Amino acid sequence: MKGIDYNGNYSFKKGRYKKVFTMKDAIQSCKDALELYSRGKSDIPLRINIDIPNQDAQSLYMPGYAADANALGVKIISVYPNNIKKGISTVPATMVLLDNETGEVCSLIDGTYLTRIRTGAVAGAATDLLSRKDSKIFSLFGTGGQAEEQLEAVLTIRDIEEVRVYDINPENAETFVKAMNEKFADKFKVKINSVKSPDEAVKDADIITAVTTSKKPVFDGKLVKKGAHINGVGSYTPDMQELDEYIICNADKLYVDTRDGALNESGDLIIPIRQNKFSEDRVTGELGELIMGSISSRENEDEITLFKTVGSGVLDIVTARRIYERALKEKIGQFVEI
């Protein structure tokens, strides 16, 4: 590597920056990012979502600026389901980080992995702040590209003893479980198993995460036990709905990453609002407001808490800036001459 300075252009791929930026780092980064957002110290427009009908795809653009974090940039991310037939990523992405003092591009970061780690980390942050400390059973719905980081985040902040994995495709679930046992079972001293039904997954679960692209609820909210915590991660468009109206309406406290994003983009909230079963004023608040101390957290062991995230550019720019600074310090990355 040569010419290390903040005006250089650097490219970081998963294998490189994962060595210097852990899940714990990412969880703290997401907490800091959401606090900046809720304090009004960031400029984060709603993502631009462009439909690509002839490919049954979407192209999304997520710009943002957070002065206190020296973070400026835009993540370009696409969702191309048919790419699986071509043997390439179905969610290709690139993070373009800019020098906030000059406006020049200073880094290109693997946006696909950035999305995975910050999405896992923001659910991990919510789980850390809201779930019971004695949580032992974790249920994970979905085994797609973001599932591994969702699992790692929860294992990182809670002493989980049993993980139950459910996917509508049993073969995918088995493949995922085998890979995750090889990766995490010994490190975290946890049993990871696939289950045959949503009911089996939810029964007595302390923490539940849904990270799917489903347009209908993936489990029965009436089966969620008292004291459980739920992360709704997958629904990011108005017609996507992982969580049923019952759990949305009956959770004791419901938090979002950003009101602007969750209430305008997620079918988990939009659908029950349109059906007059739920209203915006029943949202407890943003996770950043909880971190600030302006709203309350879990108040007793029986409360059911729910966190809904659709993702926000503030998570990307702050996390990307932290990765960039850490990688420069550790001299990890590829210098790109333009």
Side-chain angles (χ1 to χ4, degrees):
M1 179 182 287
K2 57 183 178 179
I4 295 179
D5 60 60
Y6 280 87
N7 293 317
N9 294 285
Y10 292 88
S11 173
F12 301 112
K13 295 183 179 180
K14 171 183 175 181
R16 289 193 172 101
Y17 69 70
K18 194 172 183 182
K19 295 178 182 178
V20 297
F21 198 78
T22 68
M23 179 58 75
K24 284 186 178 180
D25 295 328
I27 289 171
Q28 186 59 54
S29 176
C30 287
K31 288 180 180 179
D32 294 342
L34 291 182
E35 182 175 3
L36 285 172
Y37 180 92
S38 293
R39 287 189 183 276
K41 293 191 173 184
S42 64
D43 185 358
I44 309 294
L46 275 177
R47 79 183 94 204
I48 300 169
N49 191 336
I50 300 174
D51 284 325
I52 316 294
N54 62 342
Q55 296 294 330
D56 191 27
Q58 296 168 314
S59 187
L60 302 95
Y61 301 81
M62 301 173 66
Y65 175 52
D68 288 1
N70 296 320
L72 173 67
V74 57
K75 187 174 75 175
I76 303 169
I77 181 169
S78 298
V79 182
Y80 272 64
N82 294 330
N83 279 1
I84 194 168
K85 301 174 184 176
K86 302 173 184 178
I88 57 178
S89 173
T90 58
V91 191
T94 300
M95 181 70 207
V96 182
L97 195 65
L98 281 68
D99 186 314
N100 62 300
E101 294 183 358
T102 67
E104 297 175 301
V105 173
C106 60
S107 179
L108 301 176
I109 295 176
D110 177 356
T112 301
Y113 185 67
L114 174 66
T115 300
R116 291 176 179 176
I117 193 169
R118 66 83 156 150
T119 305
V122 75
T127 305
D128 188 28
L129 294 166
L130 297 170
S131 71
R132 289 175 48 151
K133 298 289 191 291
D134 61 354
S135 297
K136 297 299 180 185
I137 300 175
F138 173 46
S139 293
L140 178 63
F141 286 81
T143 60
Q146 294 191 21
E148 178 179 330
E149 283 69 34
Q150 293 294 325
L151 173 59
E152 182 180 3
V154 173
L155 294 180
T156 297
I157 53 87
R158 287 290 180 268
D159 293 325
I160 299 298
E161 296 177 354
E162 177 187 355
V163 176
R164 301 169 183 167
V165 178
Y166 177 78
D167 193 280
I168 56 172
N169 185 319
E171 291 183 3
N172 289 350
E174 289 293 340
T175 299
F176 178 80
V177 164
K178 181 180 179 181
M180 293 304 99
N181 270 310
E182 292 175 357
K183 191 163 191 175
F184 295 131
D186 290 338
K187 178 180 179 181
F188 292 105
K189 308 303 179 185
V190 63
K191 295 187 297 182
I192 306 173
N193 299 301
S194 63
V195 294
K196 296 180 180 179
S197 72
D199 290 2
E200 185 180 353
V202 171
K203 183 181 179 182
D204 296 325
D206 300 300
I207 301 167
I208 302 167
T209 292
V211 58
T212 75
T213 57
S214 181
K215 293 186 177 181
K216 60 182 181 179
V218 296
F219 64 85
D220 184 351
K222 294 179 181 178
L223 299 180
V224 175
K225 78 170 189 177
K226 289 183 179 181
H229 171 69
I230 302 160
N231 297 307
V233 179
S235 168
Y236 65 91
T237 66
D239 64 340
M240 296 172 71
Q241 186 185 25
E242 296 179 301
L243 307 179
D244 64 16
E245 291 92 342
Y246 180 86
I247 199 60
I248 292 292
C249 296
N250 287 279
D252 294 286
K253 289 187 171 68
L254 191 156
Y255 304 81
V256 295
D257 51 1
T258 69
R259 284 188 180 85
D260 199 22
L263 291 168
N264 285 285
E265 296 181 343
S266 174
D268 284 341
L269 300 180
I270 292 171
I271 291 170
I273 287 173
R274 286 177 177 171
Q275 296 173 344
N276 294 317
K277 296 179 179 179
F278 188 75
S279 59
E280 295 182 12
D281 61 1
R282 293 179 62 185
V283 173
T284 306
E286 294 175 340
L287 201 65
E289 293 173 317
L290 174 59
I291 295 166
M292 291 164 53
S294 60
I295 60 174
S296 62
S297 182
R298 169 186 294 276
E299 295 179 281
N300 63 65
E301 299 289 76
D302 287 337
E303 282 189 323
I304 294 175
T305 56
L306 192 154
F307 174 63
K308 177 59 211 166
T309 175
V310 294
S312 170
V314 73
L315 299 167
D316 294 306
I317 60 172
V318 173
T319 303
R321 183 71 195 194
R322 299 263 174 100
I323 291 169
Y324 173 63
E325 292 174 352
R326 184 74 61 82
L328 284 178
K329 181 180 179 180
E330 299 294 331
K331 298 184 179 182
I332 290 181
Q334 179 179 356
F335 182 76
V336 180
E337 295 190 53
I338 298 177

